[in-house]
Amino acid sequence: MHLNEFTKHPRIVIIGGGFGGIQLAKTLKNLDAEILLIDRHNYHTFQPLLYQVATGSLQAESISFPLRKIFHRQKNLTVIYANVKGVDAANNIISTSDGDVCYDYLVLATGSNTNFFGNEQIEHYAMPMKNVTEALNLRSLILQNLEAAFVEQDLEKKQALLNFVIVGGGPTGVELSGAIAEFRNHILEMDYPVHQKEMMRVFLIEGKKELLAAMSEQASVEAKANLAKMGVEISNDVHVKSYDGNLLTVDNGQTIYTKNVIWAAGVMGELPEGFSPKMLTRGNRLQVDEFNRVSGLNNVFAIGDAAAQILPKYPQGLPGVAPVAMQHGEHLGKNLIRLLKGEELKPFVYKDKGTLATIGRNKAVADLGKLHLHGFIAWLIWIFVHLMSLVGFTNRLIVFLSWASTYFTYNGGNRLIIRRFNTKEMKIDVNAD
């Protein structure tokens, strides 16, 4: 296969093996074309459950699935394990870590990364959680700090190790806060008998006036009430000013000594180099039309978190959630088939099937159209939807059994420090045993 040469069949290159990229590739399975799926990982990650990997509830492998295994029966598709460095749209060439790749049509399904809003100090010391590596880093940090607190004699230093601050009150921040609070309430004293659970504090800081701002008022109120009952200390309508690895400062004057700051306050599109600032919009996303075509380019498309698609109901662009990416992928796949047949393209219409967020054991909120649910029923819906959305029967079974074990024993999970995290350098310690 000559990736740096054009072929007799149209070549469609998809960058990114996330929800959108996979759905697009599957939609093109019967197309007489050469499909290349390029990703810097050789697996797909079910990102909605990353927080459970970070808090030791699930194994990383249970929410990941090999890309080659997903497409092993799709004859027109080839998976390329490489890192995309840049795009030369004028010459239809992509530069990767393994050389150049030519394309006839290009689709950016590169997803998003953590947005620290230009604050380099916070970016260095706070923990992001957008991929498996970062989730495992966070798991190591949490467990290492609990171990350190176990032997720490200085009460002020011990408290800093046991203070957990989550910044951002969207679904990720709410679910993380709930998971850490449940760890404190049910597991802490079993694993660390000298720690009284009252010493471990969980803070949730949100810049908006309510939690889960994208959901209904009922969901926001219910989530806040449940987290408060679980012992989470919530601050709304405030912003983090600074964090130096020891002291976190909030713009209302509040200060918290902590060794654990998890940043879930924003995302930005993750794009290769080669796109002019005129093509980009807020959140480092590519401006696209109703066909997901990048502004100013005829054969380059963007879907999911990489795309800023303005629709009448969504003047700020569609939300960065998995259903958007999946619907983008399926619709663009059908449009590419139409395009190669010389048929008229159809504009994208988003069908909002609802939003879910779990808070903890038997607690969740669900907005399903005009129906707003909370409590045990919403929690069961959340479990079912997430299980069915996982790739692979084995992964579904492993996750279900892990959840069942945790539910009935209050002591499931994988609280292992496999790779030591260097808390001074804020990176994996390659010299550790």
Side-chain angles (χ1 to χ4, degrees):
M1 180 180 295
H2 300 287
L3 298 181
N4 60 347
E5 297 177 5
F6 290 98
T7 62
K8 62 179 180 180
H9 296 290
R11 176 181 285 170
I12 301 173
V13 175
I14 305 167
I15 305 177
F19 291 106
I22 286 179
Q23 191 61 51
L24 170 60
K26 288 180 176 180
T27 306
L28 298 173
K29 64 181 179 180
N30 295 319
L31 183 64
D32 186 17
E34 181 185 2
I35 316 298
L36 300 183
L37 177 62
I38 304 177
D39 198 291
R40 62 184 176 183
H41 304 295
N42 72 337
Y43 55 86
H44 164 74
T45 302
F46 189 74
Q47 288 187 323
L49 293 181
L50 277 174
Y51 82 96
Q52 294 202 11
V53 174
T55 52
S57 298
L58 291 175
Q59 303 175 30
E61 291 80 4
S62 65
I63 67 164
S64 307
F65 201 83
L67 288 171
R68 296 184 186 279
K69 193 171 182 179
I70 295 174
F71 297 106
H72 72 282
R73 294 182 180 176
Q74 187 165 332
K75 302 303 180 183
N76 67 345
L77 184 139
T78 302
V79 174
I80 306 295
Y81 173 49
N83 189 31
V84 175
K85 297 179 178 179
V87 175
D88 180 359
N91 296 299
N92 295 345
I93 296 175
I94 305 165
S95 61
T96 79
S97 54
D98 288 340
D100 292 344
V101 178
C102 295
Y103 65 86
D104 294 295
Y105 300 96
L106 174 64
V107 180
L108 280 299
T110 45
S112 59
N113 209 336
T114 303
N115 190 353
F116 291 95
F117 305 100
N119 192 316
E120 294 182 0
Q121 184 193 51
I122 293 177
E123 183 174 359
H124 178 74
Y125 288 107
M127 297 295 290
M129 194 194 63
K130 290 297 291 181
N131 54 54
V132 169
T133 300
E134 291 176 350
L136 290 174
N137 289 348
L138 181 52
R139 185 179 76 180
S140 294
L141 176 74
I142 291 171
L143 295 175
Q144 285 172 214
N145 284 347
L146 288 173
E147 295 288 348
F150 185 73
V151 297
E152 179 60 61
Q153 298 300 309
D154 186 294
L155 289 181
E156 185 174 303
K157 292 180 179 178
K158 180 189 286 284
Q159 189 62 63
L161 291 164
L162 293 173
N163 284 341
F164 289 80
V165 181
I166 296 91
V167 184
T172 299
V174 165
E175 291 175 346
L176 262 171
S177 300
I180 295 174
E182 287 207 319
F183 178 94
R184 185 262 316 277
N185 295 339
H186 301 300
I187 296 174
L188 180 68
E189 291 179 350
M190 287 193 291
D191 280 12
Y192 305 94
V194 300
H195 292 341
Q196 295 180 343
K197 66 180 183 180
E198 290 76 17
M199 286 195 66
M200 182 174 169
R201 301 175 68 184
V202 184
F203 301 85
L204 176 57
I205 298 174
E206 165 57 34
K208 295 184 175 64
K209 294 182 179 180
E210 63 281 322
L211 303 180
L212 300 176
M215 296 185 70
S216 65
E217 182 180 353
Q218 295 97 315
S220 175
V221 171
E222 186 69 22
K224 188 170 184 176
N226 276 292
L227 287 174
K229 288 178 183 178
M230 296 165 68
V232 178
E233 302 175 45
I234 303 168
S235 298
N236 281 107
D237 203 18
V238 296
H239 301 83
V240 173
K241 290 178 61 178
S242 64
Y243 176 56
D244 62 3
N246 294 292
L247 180 67
L248 180 137
T249 305
V250 186
D251 60 7
N252 66 350
Q254 181 185 17
T255 57
I256 304 170
Y257 283 97
T258 177
K259 289 291 187 179
N260 310 282
V261 174
I262 306 169
W263 194 264
V267 297
M268 58 188 296
E270 187 169 22
L271 301 171
E273 296 181 358
F275 297 99
S276 70
K278 294 181 180 180
M279 298 177 181
L280 303 176
T281 186
R282 181 184 177 188
N284 197 47
R285 298 189 297 169
L286 287 164
Q287 297 185 44
V288 299
D289 61 16
E290 66 271 31
F291 309 116
N292 286 93
R293 190 164 36 205
V294 175
S295 177
L297 300 174
N298 291 324
N299 63 338
V300 179
F301 302 82
I303 60 176
D305 291 359
Q309 189 173 54
I310 308 300
L311 299 178
K313 190 178 177 181
Y314 301 92
Q316 301 299 320
L318 289 167
V321 293
V324 170
M326 295 173 72
Q327 291 181 41
H328 267 167
E330 182 177 3
H331 187 267
L332 178 57
K334 294 177 179 178
N335 265 344
L336 287 172
I337 293 172
R338 295 186 186 102
L339 184 62
L340 293 179
K341 290 181 178 179
E343 299 175 357
E344 185 177 352
L345 304 186
K346 294 185 178 181
F348 176 77
V349 178
Y350 176 51
K351 298 176 182 177
D352 187 355
K353 298 180 180 179
T355 308
L356 303 167
T358 185
I359 303 155
R361 181 187 181 88
N362 298 335
K363 303 179 186 73
V365 290
D367 288 342
L368 306 173
K370 295 182 180 180
L371 184 63
H372 307 290
L373 302 173
H374 62 85
F376 184 69
I377 293 178
W379 182 70
L380 287 179
I381 294 173
W382 183 92
I383 285 177
F384 177 78
V385 169
H386 283 71
L387 275 178
M388 293 291 79
S389 299
L390 282 164
V391 178
F393 173 78
T394 302
N395 282 17
R396 291 175 194 154
L397 181 61
I398 291 172
V399 170
F400 175 76
L401 292 175
S402 296
W403 285 347
S405 172
T406 300
Y407 187 82
F408 289 110
T409 68
Y410 286 89
N411 196 23
N414 299 273
R415 298 185 291 278
L416 308 176
I417 304 173
I418 301 296
R419 307 177 308 170
R420 188 165 184 83
F421 192 78
N422 187 326
T423 55
K424 293 183 179 179
E425 298 294 332
M426 296 303 289
K427 64 182 180 181
I428 289 296
D429 191 347
V430 296
N431 296 317
D433 292 334

